[in-house]
Amino acid sequence: MNKRSAHAPARSRAILLAATFAAAITVVTAPVAMAGPTPAPANAYAYIGYPNNGQTLPAGKPFRVWFGLRYMGVAPRGVKFPNTGHHHLLIDVDLLPMDQEIPSDRNHLHFGAGETETMIELPPGKHTLQLLMGDDKHIPHNPPVYSKKITIYVK
C-alpha cells in the first residue's frame, strides 16, 4: 500500500466535511422572506371553496365566495388568540410584502368580523381571487397563510 492510497479515505472525509459545512452556511445565510410577528402553524393553509378555478360566473349578478381554512382558527380583528386570524380576499392583485399591514381597498377586502364567506359582484372579464390570513392587526402570520390564486371569468 503506498502513501497516496493510505490517506485517500481521510482526504475524502475532509472534503465531504468541508462540503457539508459549506452547505450548512449557505442554508443559514440564505435570504428569508419577511413575515409578521404572529406565529401560525407550519401546516396551516387557506383555500377558496367556491367558486372553482376556471369557473365562469354570470355578469351583473353577485356571487358567493366561500373561504376555507385548515389547522388554524378564525377570530375577529382585534382578538389575539394563538393560531387564529381573519380572512382577507385579494381581487386582481398579487400578494404584498408579508411584514406589512394588508391594505383595505377594493382589491383587498377585509373580513375582520370573522366571516367565512361573502357575496361580491365583479365586472365582466377575467379576474383572480386569493385569500390571505391576517392577525389581529391585519398583518400576515409567520409563516404566511394564504390560498392558491384562482382565476374566474365573469360573462
Side-chain angles (χ1 to χ4, degrees):
M1 184 184 225
N2 65 32
K3 277 186 171 180
R4 188 175 186 150
S5 62
H7 295 289
R11 194 172 300 131
S12 295
R13 281 193 299 272
I15 291 169
L16 179 60
L17 183 60
T20 303
F21 181 71
I25 288 174
T26 302
V27 169
V28 170
T29 60
V32 177
M34 296 297 291
T38 305
N43 60 345
Y45 64 95
Y47 60 95
I48 296 173
Y50 184 86
N52 298 309
N53 189 39
Q55 189 167 350
T56 300
L57 300 159
K61 190 172 165 183
F63 61 90
R64 185 177 92 142
V65 181
W66 177 73
F67 314 147
L69 181 64
R70 292 278 189 222
Y71 307 113
M72 203 169 153
V74 176
R77 173 187 52 83
V79 173
K80 190 168 183 70
F81 194 76
N83 299 323
T84 65
H86 62 276
H87 293 283
H88 297 82
L89 180 61
L90 282 55
I91 303 171
D92 297 331
V93 293
D94 292 326
L95 292 171
L96 337 146
M98 294 296 174
D99 61 342
Q100 297 176 16
E101 183 176 340
I102 302 164
S104 181
D105 56 36
R106 66 186 187 141
N107 298 98
H108 302 88
L109 305 182
H110 288 233
F111 296 93
E115 302 97 315
T116 58
E117 64 180 56
T118 190
M119 296 292 288
I120 63 172
E121 185 174 341
L122 295 172
K126 178 180 176 181
H127 299 280
T128 61
L129 303 176
Q130 187 169 27
L131 291 172
L132 173 60
M133 293 301 291
D135 67 10
D136 60 309
K137 296 178 179 147
H138 304 290
I139 298 173
H141 294 80
N142 187 2
V145 178
Y146 55 90
S147 70
K148 292 180 185 176
K149 185 185 283 191
I150 68 165
T151 300
I152 59 169
Y153 302 91
V154 177
K155 293 184 181 182

